[in-house]
Amino acid sequence: MHQPSFFDLFWLLIIFFSLWPIFQQKNLEWARLRLIREIEKKRKSRVITMIHRQERLAFMGFPLMRFITIEDSERILRAIRMTPDDMPIDLIVHTPGGLALAATQIASALVKHKSPVRVIVPHYAMSGGTLIALAADEIVMDPNAVLGPLDPQLGQFPAPSILKAFEMKKKEMKDEMLILADVAEKSLVQMKNTIIKILTAKGHSQEKAENIADLLTSGYWTHDYPLTAEVIKEMGLNVSTDVPQEVYDLMELYYQPSGQPSVQYIPVPYGEPKKGSVPLRKPH
C-alpha cells in the first residue's frame, strides 16, 4: 500500500488552503440567506439587500470598493418582479451611491409596487441610495444613520457649482466649460424632475415634492453632507428609527476587514439586562 509522502501532504495542504477561502465565502453567503429568511418570516415581506462593503475576495489582494451599478438594478428589478403585489418589500440599503441611471431604475420600480415599501438604512445611503429611499412608503433609519444630497456630479465637480462658476465668469470661459455648464444645467433639471415624479407618485403634493427636490439638488450642502433622520423628518418624509435587530446582525456578516481591524471592543452588552434575557454568569 502506498504510504503518503511529505510531498503528498504538501500538495493536499496547498489544495486545502486554496479552497478554504471559497468554503468560507459560501458559508458566509448561506448564513446571510438564513438570516434574510428569518427577517422575511418575522416581517412577512420580501427582503432585498443592497449592501456595498469591501469583500474578502479582491483583486491582487486589494479590497474592491463597491457602488450602485446596472447589475444591482437588474437584480433588484428581478426580485421585485418575483414579489406578489400584496407582499410588502423591505430593502436594506448600505451604499455610498453610484450610477444615477441604476438608482433611478430601482426607485421607479419600488414606486410601482402595490404593497408598502420600506427602505431600511442601518448606517448610510448616500447619493443614489437617498434617491432609492425617497421611493419608500417608510424610511427606517438607525438614529445615527444618514442620507445625502442629490446634486448631480459631473466628473469631480457638482453641477450646482459648475453653474455658479458659469454665471460668475461666463464671458471668460472656454467652449469646453460652456458645454460642461450646459450639461450641468440639464442634469439638474433631470434629477429634480425624477425626484418630483417619485415623491408625487408616493402621494406627496406637487409643491412639497418641488421643495424637497430643490433642497436636495441645488447645492445647499456639499455632496457628502450627512442628512440625519431629524433632517429627513423636517422635510416631511415618513421616517422611523426602529431598525430591527436582525438587520444589525445581518450587517455583521458583511464586515470583513483584511488584517487586524482598526476598531475593537468586548462584544457584550453592558447595563441592566433586558426583560426575558439570561444574565451572564459571574466567574467563580
Side-chain angles (χ1 to χ4, degrees):
M1 181 180 289
H2 173 71
Q3 295 295 325
S5 65
F6 171 80
F7 290 104
D8 293 331
L9 294 174
F10 174 78
W11 283 111
L12 285 173
L13 286 173
I14 291 293
I15 294 171
F16 174 79
F17 285 113
S18 298
L19 295 177
W20 181 244
I22 298 175
F23 293 146
Q24 282 186 309
Q25 188 68 23
K26 287 297 181 183
N27 186 55
L28 196 59
E29 289 176 8
W30 292 330
R32 292 170 183 171
L33 291 175
R34 284 195 298 268
L35 191 47
I36 287 172
R37 187 59 186 145
E38 286 182 23
I39 300 172
E40 287 183 333
K41 290 179 179 178
K42 182 176 180 180
R43 297 175 69 84
K44 296 179 173 61
S45 66
R46 159 84 72 181
V47 173
I48 307 170
T49 68
M50 186 174 69
I51 299 174
H52 294 140
R53 280 188 163 176
Q54 293 179 352
E55 292 290 337
R56 192 182 300 275
L57 298 179
F59 178 71
M60 298 296 289
F62 295 97
L64 299 176
M65 296 302 295
R66 304 176 66 192
F67 54 89
I68 303 172
T69 65
I70 292 297
E71 287 73 21
D72 290 330
S73 65
E74 289 176 356
R75 291 179 65 85
I76 291 178
L77 265 58
R78 190 179 304 122
I80 294 172
R81 287 196 301 270
M82 294 171 62
T83 305
D85 290 341
D86 60 352
M87 178 178 285
I89 289 177
D90 285 306
L91 176 58
I92 302 170
V93 179
H94 176 84
T95 182
L99 295 179
L101 171 59
T104 301
Q105 284 184 304
I106 296 169
S108 298
L110 291 175
V111 164
K112 295 172 185 173
H113 189 66
K114 293 181 172 59
S115 291
V117 172
R118 297 175 289 259
V119 170
I120 303 174
V121 185
H123 186 53
Y124 76 142
M126 305 297 284
S127 192
T130 299
L131 182 64
I132 292 169
L134 295 181
D137 296 283
E138 181 185 18
I139 305 172
V140 184
M141 301 172 62
D142 179 87
N144 298 306
V146 296
L147 304 182
L150 283 165
D151 49 319
Q153 306 294 294
L154 302 181
Q156 58 181 325
F157 301 115
S161 297
I162 293 173
L163 291 177
K164 186 174 181 180
F166 170 73
E167 291 300 326
M168 294 171 61
K169 298 184 176 182
K170 55 185 173 183
K171 293 182 179 180
E172 309 168 16
M173 283 188 170
K174 297 179 180 179
D175 290 346
E176 291 83 357
M177 288 303 297
L178 294 175
I179 294 170
L180 187 61
D182 178 59
V183 175
E185 184 177 17
K186 290 175 180 175
S187 67
L188 269 176
V189 171
Q190 290 167 183
M191 182 55 70
K192 283 184 180 180
N193 288 341
T194 298
I195 295 171
I196 292 169
K197 183 178 179 181
I198 289 171
L199 291 176
T200 52
K202 299 308 293 186
H204 298 283
S205 68
Q206 181 74 19
E207 181 183 5
K208 180 179 177 181
E210 290 177 357
N211 289 338
I212 293 174
D214 183 67
L215 195 60
L216 289 174
T217 63
S218 297
Y220 294 107
W221 303 292
T222 58
H223 193 63
D224 61 349
Y225 186 79
L227 304 179
T228 62
E230 289 78 11
V231 174
I232 302 302
K233 283 180 182 178
E234 289 174 3
M235 291 183 187
L237 297 174
N238 184 20
V239 180
S240 160
T241 54
D242 299 323
V243 176
Q245 178 58 45
E246 292 85 357
V247 173
Y248 295 119
D249 296 338
L250 181 64
M251 292 297 295
E252 287 295 321
L253 297 177
Y254 286 85
Y255 185 52
Q256 301 175 74
S258 56
Q260 182 69 22
S262 57
V263 177
Q264 289 186 305
Y265 59 94
I266 299 172
V268 175
Y270 293 149
E272 293 294 327
K274 294 182 180 179
K275 186 177 180 181
S277 63
V278 179
L280 294 174
R281 293 183 179 180
K282 295 183 178 179
H284 295 291

